[in-house]
Amino acid sequence: MSKQHTSVRAYGVLVHDGRVALVRSSNPNHVPPLWWLPGGGIDFGESPEDTLLREFVEETGLEVRDPVLLGVSSDVRRRDNGDRIHTVRVIYRVAMAGGELQHEVHGTTDHAGWFALADLESLNVADYARAAIGDAQGK
């Protein structure tokens, strides 16, 4: 019997020097590889802003600051096992604070990278991430 689950997550759009920071899904079923915004699940009792700061470092090695709420997105999809997941994403625009780009090991992402905004059309970017990047640029 399939289950239903709600997941509340926080993500950030970091645009620095005309490039945006993205992370790649470690799911081998994503062909071509799927890229999305750094971020992740909000732990019990944790604020969305604290989640964002923690997840950014975990997934990219980068420290960010000054989160500004861009919006909230929501979708329902079916997982491979038949379960349905309702994902609520709290999305922020953030500024670079420091750190060196590194890849997450043994997580839901396996690669972090900088991408020129002009090159995003040729990349497989999650719909919510593409929309958020546009919102962050005022498009």
Side-chain angles (χ1 to χ4, degrees):
M1 179 164 181
S2 65
K3 298 177 184 173
Q4 297 182 114
H5 175 71
T6 300
S7 176
V8 183
R9 309 174 78 71
Y11 292 92
V13 178
L14 174 60
V15 176
H16 187 71
D17 293 336
R19 300 176 303 160
V20 63
L22 296 175
V23 291
R24 182 178 68 191
S25 168
S26 60
N27 184 338
N29 294 327
H30 290 145
V31 178
L34 181 63
W35 295 83
W36 59 61
L37 299 173
I42 298 172
D43 292 338
F44 182 83
E46 187 177 41
S47 73
E49 293 87 355
D50 287 345
T51 297
L52 174 66
L53 301 178
R54 174 181 54 78
E55 286 282 346
F56 233 95
V57 171
E58 287 177 10
E59 292 185 345
T60 69
L62 300 174
E63 296 173 15
V64 294
R65 60 180 167 78
D66 304 330
V68 175
L69 183 65
L70 275 176
V72 177
S73 72
S74 171
D75 59 63
V76 176
R77 61 185 160 70
R78 189 170 300 278
R79 290 185 165 166
D80 293 341
N81 65 3
D83 290 355
R84 293 179 46 179
I85 184 165
H86 175 208
T87 304
V88 178
R89 296 177 189 90
V90 183
I91 304 174
Y92 296 88
R93 180 177 57 236
V94 294
M96 183 76 156
E100 294 290 326
L101 191 68
Q102 341 177 345
H103 311 302
E104 182 177 33
V105 178
H106 307 299
T108 57
T109 66
D110 63 5
H111 192 85
W114 287 107
F115 295 90
L117 292 168
D119 295 340
L120 292 182
E121 287 303 315
S122 63
L123 198 62
N124 185 23
V125 177
D127 292 341
Y128 85 88
R130 193 175 295 281
I133 293 165
D135 290 348
Q137 298 177 80
K139 294 184 179 182

